[in-house]
Amino acid sequence: MEVKGQLTDIIYSNEINGYTVADLNTEKEIIVVTGYLPFIEKGDFLKLEGNYVNHPDYGRQFKIETFEKLMPETTEAVERYLAGGIITGVGPATAKKIVDKFKEETIDILRYNPEKLSMVKGINSEKAIRISEEFNEKWDLWQIVGFLEKFGISAQNSKKVYKSFGKDAIEQIEKNPYMLLDITYGVDFKKIDKMALDLGIAVNSNERIESAIKYSLALSSQNGNTCVEKENLVKFVETLLDVDEEDVENSLINLKAQTKIYIEKENNGTWVYLDTFYICEKNIADKLFALNEAKNIKKIKDFKTKFHKEEEKSDIILSNKQKEAIQTVNENNVCIITGGPGTGKTTIIKFIIELFKNEGKKVVLCAPTGRAAKRMYETTGEEATTIHRLLEIGKMEETLNFERVDYPITPIDADVIIVDEMSMVDVFLMNYMLKGIYLGTKLILVGDINQLPSVGPGNILKDIINSGAIETIELNRVFRQAARSQIITNAHKVNNGETFATYEKETEEGQLQDFFYINENSQEKMFQDVISLCTGRLKKYGNYDFFKNIQVLTPTKKGKLGTKELNIALQKALNHNTEISKKVGDRTFLIGDRVMQVKNNYDIYWVKNNNEDGTGIFNGELGTITNINEETKQIEICFDDEKNAWYEFNELDQIEHSYSITIHKSQGSEFDVVIMCLPQAAPMLLTRNLLYTGITRAKELLIVLGTNNIVNFMIQNTETKKRNTGLENKLTR
């Protein structure tokens, strides 16, 4: 449907994405309209396309799909428009004077003959020019919005386009629509390509092929790659655009000359990088070398004496390997400590902290996620923070699904920096972290390379270890106390390619009964087992409460035992606060729901009960819905690190229920009790490192539900998707 009218009131407007609720006067009636309307203001005349919907609480509304700003068609409409305060310094009285003076010519005067405005009492020549400039700026902006809408580019992106190109945006875009891919996030290449071809750009134009090359490299990065083999890239672009190999080769040469891509020849082929990925890897390699080769000014003198003194004081008996690790930290500016659960990484960290604190050195602890930082604090008793927070990184705008490399960061004030969960650190975060470290600072990287790699591109920990450029201590002995845990025993068995060890009861060896494997072929029975285990069946094993202690993990989002179906069922079984709810698509949010942030939000404001406040909630953070306010159209979430944040209803696409989460999303977290489902799923999901990661999320109790066939397949499936990266090579120079 199509409706026309003037906005008489703006009920709500989100400044970040332009989502708006407003009253529109159609002359026949005033209707409530909802949708994305960036840059609109009270008094604007609009043509809207969309449909009427019935909101359960607010009744009949017009849901906007597309829109266009209209020129006021009558002198009365022009006066209402100007009187709405849309132009600085023009109110109802001045608007009346302007329209009374120029009548039907008012718009032409405003646009093309601003000097005549000074004929109106109270408007001098300077003010006349300013009024015209502001009127035209708003009009130019609306022309851009309308232009982009025709090609399927959402209004949400129009603000960024206007800021980048200004009033000449349409002219510049018509010359090269592919520029939009460099400044807007989430825009479909095929839509831009169709737009370009419709505007007459040649099929084999340089702009088209160069843009496709950059798009293809960015697309590959979504699978963790930082580079692509040249031969494969050329074939992909040929097929995507239906162009000749020679055209693609020429565009590669042009892009390389502009340093928008980098091409490296290695023994195993020729690799192509987007500039951002290449620069990040080169920065990482250069800074690691610089840190490692700097003078060891933080080294503890008379180390052996001080080491033995601390060992006696702490009453800790260290293994030879642990002693070697601590000595390696003292002898080197950069080192890596790696190993599985129960191998003593935490003991080493605690010992290092005390040694350097005794010397009056400042030790800083950090991790890539809030939950990992919280766990670091719980195990060491020392304050820990996220890397983002430590660097005071603000919003990183994304373009072709990757981040820029030149945002300002705050250098880290520390003598010793310890980074945990390094397997989760991607190429961008590593680049920023190293950028913030002063030469002479000691850097200790701690992680487990057998866990899943980072969500973002790169394979940082593995590449550094494989390069041999940085001193690495690998811990492979499981300590006696840890070996009592069936969870830890089975984690190492899986990592070694062996099947689970199961125990009916506590054995003579003193094994803790903290691991249960339920061999079940029926998915329906597994589904029911999950529900019963979450609703009281575990009481005899401990005073476990689902919302405080238990987490359900699964490899997949789809199917009966995927996160979507499990979340619906677990919410129904566990949360009966149904009086107040908010429905978003096919999801219903209730007070008390467990939820997870699923994308980085650098802008959202949060506050803690101790009056600490800040901005930014990041991908993977878990929390609980504590309030739903229909009046303000907001949901309040208290995250597990006690941050309280308010989300607009239209921001709930970044929140998902987390009664059940994927094993990938559980990285960096630990839970008292883990219930892990292993249903039939895509082979690429059923891998050894996924199973290992899931097992190592449990602290006190682990229940695995699956079939022998699936479990054995996962244990033997080491065919994890190889990531194409170049950091290892850059470190072996």
Side-chain angles (χ1 to χ4, degrees):
M1 295 185 67
E2 180 181 293
V3 295
K4 294 181 181 179
Q6 183 182 28
L7 286 182
T8 53
D9 190 23
I10 296 176
I11 300 166
Y12 167 80
S13 180
N14 184 311
E15 290 185 11
I16 296 170
N17 61 19
Y19 183 84
T20 302
V21 179
D23 285 339
L24 185 82
N25 186 347
T26 67
E27 299 294 343
K28 293 179 181 178
E29 61 177 334
I30 294 176
I31 61 173
V32 175
V33 298
T34 63
Y36 292 100
L37 293 172
F39 312 117
I40 62 93
E41 297 182 58
K42 183 179 174 181
D44 281 341
F45 285 80
L46 306 176
K47 180 174 77 173
L48 308 174
E49 289 185 15
N51 289 288
Y52 282 102
V53 296
N54 277 307
H55 190 281
D57 297 320
Y58 302 109
R60 183 170 175 260
Q61 298 179 340
F62 190 84
K63 189 175 181 181
I64 303 160
E65 290 181 6
T66 63
F67 63 96
E68 180 183 342
K69 185 170 179 178
L70 300 174
M71 195 75 79
E73 295 174 352
T74 65
T75 54
E76 292 83 3
V78 173
E79 184 178 332
R80 286 202 306 273
Y81 176 74
L82 295 175
I86 198 162
I87 307 295
T88 306
V90 178
T94 304
K96 187 173 188 331
K97 288 179 187 176
I98 293 172
V99 174
D100 284 348
K101 179 71 175 174
F102 301 110
K103 297 186 171 50
E104 289 80 5
E105 295 182 358
T106 300
I107 296 295
D108 283 340
I109 298 296
L110 285 165
R111 297 210 67 191
Y112 308 116
N113 297 293
E115 66 281 354
K116 290 187 178 181
L117 288 172
S118 59
M119 295 164 61
V120 175
K121 189 176 180 182
I123 300 178
N124 58 30
S125 57
E126 185 181 331
K127 185 175 181 180
I129 298 299
R130 186 172 49 74
I131 289 171
S132 177
E133 285 177 348
E134 193 171 339
F135 181 89
N136 283 323
E137 182 183 358
K138 293 177 187 297
W139 214 261
D140 290 338
L141 175 59
W142 274 94
Q143 297 299 314
I144 294 163
V145 173
F147 174 77
L148 294 175
E149 279 282 337
K150 291 175 187 174
F151 297 98
I153 309 301
S154 75
Q156 292 166 273
N157 282 312
S158 58
K159 208 168 200 173
K160 199 169 181 183
V161 174
Y162 183 74
K163 284 180 179 176
S164 300
F165 297 134
K167 64 181 181 179
D168 299 325
I170 293 176
E171 185 182 342
Q172 292 186 57
I173 292 166
E174 284 180 332
K175 287 179 182 175
N176 180 12
Y178 299 105
M179 292 190 300
L180 290 169
L181 288 164
D182 293 331
I183 61 167
T184 58
Y185 172 68
V187 175
D188 187 346
F189 173 82
K190 290 179 181 177
K191 281 186 178 179
I192 298 289
D193 193 41
K194 183 181 182 305
M195 173 184 177
L197 294 173
D198 288 347
L199 288 167
I201 286 180
V203 169
N204 64 344
S205 70
N206 284 336
E207 294 91 348
R208 183 172 187 246
I209 299 171
E210 288 175 13
S211 182
I213 289 169
K214 292 189 289 181
Y215 163 75
S216 303
L217 291 168
L219 194 64
S220 176
S221 75
Q222 294 177 11
N223 291 321
N225 302 306
T226 61
C227 55
V228 174
E229 196 166 13
K230 183 185 172 187
E231 184 181 346
N232 293 337
L233 175 66
V234 171
K235 285 179 181 176
F236 182 84
V237 174
E238 278 183 66
T239 305
L240 179 68
L241 302 183
D242 193 20
V243 293
D244 294 335
E245 179 181 346
E246 185 181 351
D247 292 326
V248 181
E249 291 281 2
N250 288 336
S251 290
L252 284 169
I253 293 167
N254 290 339
L255 285 170
K256 183 182 177 185
Q258 300 169 60
T259 63
K260 290 181 179 177
I261 64 167
Y262 288 80
I263 300 175
E264 279 195 330
K265 287 187 178 179
E266 307 299 341
N267 295 332
N268 61 343
T270 302
W271 299 88
V272 185
Y273 298 77
L274 274 172
D275 56 349
T276 47
F277 297 123
Y278 182 86
I279 291 165
C280 276
E281 286 191 346
K282 189 173 186 309
N283 287 351
I284 291 167
D286 290 347
K287 190 61 179 278
L288 284 174
F289 281 126
L291 285 169
N292 215 28
E293 292 165 4
K295 188 174 180 181
N296 191 354
I297 57 176
K298 309 297 181 183
K299 181 177 181 179
I300 298 172
K301 296 173 182 175
D302 195 14
F303 176 75
K304 285 187 178 179
T305 302
K306 291 171 181 175
F307 178 91
H308 290 308
K309 186 177 178 182
E310 180 59 34
E311 196 174 18
E312 288 174 8
K313 187 179 82 174
S314 62
D315 200 28
I316 295 173
I317 300 173
L318 297 164
S319 70
N320 289 335
K321 201 73 172 176
Q322 286 177 312
K323 291 177 181 178
E324 182 188 345
I326 296 165
Q327 188 162 351
T328 300
V329 169
N330 193 51
E331 295 295 329
N332 295 273
N333 285 331
V334 186
C335 66
I336 295 171
I337 299 170
T338 185
T343 55
K345 296 192 297 293
T346 301
T347 301
I348 291 171
I349 291 172
K350 289 164 78 172
F351 205 94
I352 289 168
I353 292 168
E354 291 307 314
L355 270 178
F356 282 93
K357 279 173 67 178
N358 292 344
E359 294 291 297
K361 305 296 185 188
K362 183 177 180 180
V363 182
V364 168
L365 278 60
C366 60
T369 68
R371 286 191 69 85
K374 184 181 179 185
R375 198 178 83 192
M376 210 176 179
Y377 163 73
E378 290 168 350
T379 55
T380 65
E382 298 288 329
E383 183 183 345
T385 185
T386 63
I387 299 169
H388 280 91
R389 193 81 59 215
L390 186 63
L391 298 171
E392 297 182 12
I393 294 175
K395 182 175 181 179
M396 291 184 184
E397 293 181 7
E398 295 173 310
T399 53
L400 268 168
N401 293 328
F402 54 85
E403 296 174 350
R404 283 171 49 184
V405 296
D406 56 352
Y407 281 95
I409 53 94
T410 300
I412 304 168
D413 176 21
D415 298 301
V416 180
I417 300 170
I418 304 175
V419 189
D420 200 7
E421 294 290 354
M422 267 300 300
S423 63
M424 298 179 69
V425 175
D426 67 20
V427 69
F428 295 112
L429 192 54
M430 189 65 173
N431 172 58
Y432 276 108
M433 183 178 72
L434 291 176
K435 186 179 175 184
I437 299 176
Y438 292 112
L439 293 183
T441 303
K442 281 189 178 293
L443 176 63
I444 305 159
L445 307 176
V446 183
D448 184 348
I449 56 170
N450 294 308
Q451 287 190 27
L452 294 165
S454 59
V455 175
N459 208 349
I460 300 298
L461 183 63
K462 195 169 186 177
D463 281 355
I464 297 174
I465 291 173
N466 288 347
S467 74
I470 302 299
E471 284 293 326
T472 300
I473 302 297
E474 184 173 356
L475 306 169
N476 45 32
R477 173 192 163 190
V478 180
F479 285 88
R480 182 177 298 175
Q481 186 174 354
R484 293 180 65 223
S485 165
Q486 294 175 34
I487 296 171
I488 291 176
T489 299
N490 281 314
H492 286 277
K493 279 184 168 292
V494 165
N495 201 38
N496 293 329
E498 302 171 24
T499 55
F500 295 149
T502 56
Y503 302 83
E504 295 299 320
K505 58 184 180 179
E506 192 170 333
T507 65
E508 291 180 6
E509 290 85 5
Q511 282 281 340
L512 298 173
Q513 197 171 11
D514 60 1
F515 176 97
F516 294 89
Y517 168 52
I518 301 173
N519 178 19
E520 180 55 67
N521 288 304
S522 165
Q523 289 213 6
E524 181 59 40
K525 183 65 169 62
M526 288 169 66
F527 186 84
Q528 294 305 323
D529 279 344
V530 172
I531 304 302
S532 65
L533 286 165
C534 293
T535 53
R537 187 169 149 194
L538 295 177
K539 289 292 182 186
K540 65 179 180 179
Y541 294 100
N543 187 27
Y544 295 125
D545 173 79
F546 180 87
F547 292 97
K548 293 178 182 175
N549 312 104
I550 301 172
Q551 182 62 58
V552 177
L553 302 181
T554 178
T556 181
K557 293 181 178 182
K558 300 176 182 177
K560 183 74 174 176
L561 291 164
T563 55
K564 189 172 181 180
E565 293 295 327
L566 285 170
N567 274 318
I568 292 169
L570 288 167
Q571 182 193 49
K572 186 177 179 182
L574 293 160
N575 191 350
H576 306 295
N577 298 322
T578 55
E579 287 185 19
I580 303 174
S581 65
K582 174 59 187 171
K583 191 169 177 61
V584 180
D586 58 355
R587 301 175 299 156
T588 301
F589 291 102
L590 307 172
I591 293 173
D593 273 347
R594 291 289 292 156
V595 292
M596 173 184 274
Q597 178 83 13
V598 294
K599 60 174 76 170
N600 288 342
N601 184 333
Y602 296 90
D603 296 317
I604 196 161
Y605 174 76
W606 54 260
V607 63
K608 291 187 178 182
N609 292 334
N610 62 1
N611 292 324
E612 179 187 351
D613 66 350
T615 56
I617 307 286
F618 300 102
N619 190 354
E621 293 198 48
L622 291 162
T624 303
I625 293 177
T626 53
N627 196 2
I628 299 174
N629 191 322
E630 283 288 355
E631 213 171 292
T632 61
K633 295 179 173 55
Q634 291 178 316
I635 280 182
E636 183 181 20
I637 299 172
C638 179
F639 287 89
D640 288 354
D641 58 357
E642 298 178 348
K643 295 195 299 279
N644 290 280
W646 285 93
Y647 288 74
E648 309 292 344
F649 282 175
N650 61 295
E651 294 177 318
L652 295 178
D653 61 329
Q654 58 194 280
I655 294 294
E656 288 182 2
H657 288 101
S658 64
Y659 294 88
S660 171
I661 61 176
T662 62
I663 296 169
H664 277 90
K665 286 288 188 183
S666 72
Q667 279 181 275
S669 301
E670 272 190 346
F671 310 95
D672 294 335
V673 179
V674 167
I675 300 165
M676 182 163 58
C677 310
L678 301 176
Q680 183 66 55
M684 61 181 289
L685 292 175
L686 302 177
T687 62
R688 180 187 293 179
N689 67 347
L690 189 92
L691 179 57
Y692 174 78
T693 300
I695 291 171
T696 54
R697 300 309 93 201
K699 287 196 290 187
E700 298 177 14
L701 185 63
L702 171 66
I703 300 105
V704 179
L705 299 101
T707 68
N708 289 336
N709 286 342
I710 294 293
V711 170
N712 290 332
F713 177 83
M714 292 183 80
I715 291 170
Q716 298 309 316
N717 182 16
T718 58
E719 296 299 315
T720 55
K721 188 174 280 188
K722 184 182 181 300
R723 294 190 168 196
N724 296 321
T725 62
L727 180 60
E728 180 183 340
N729 179 68
K730 291 176 180 65
L731 286 166
T732 52
R733 64 189 186 189

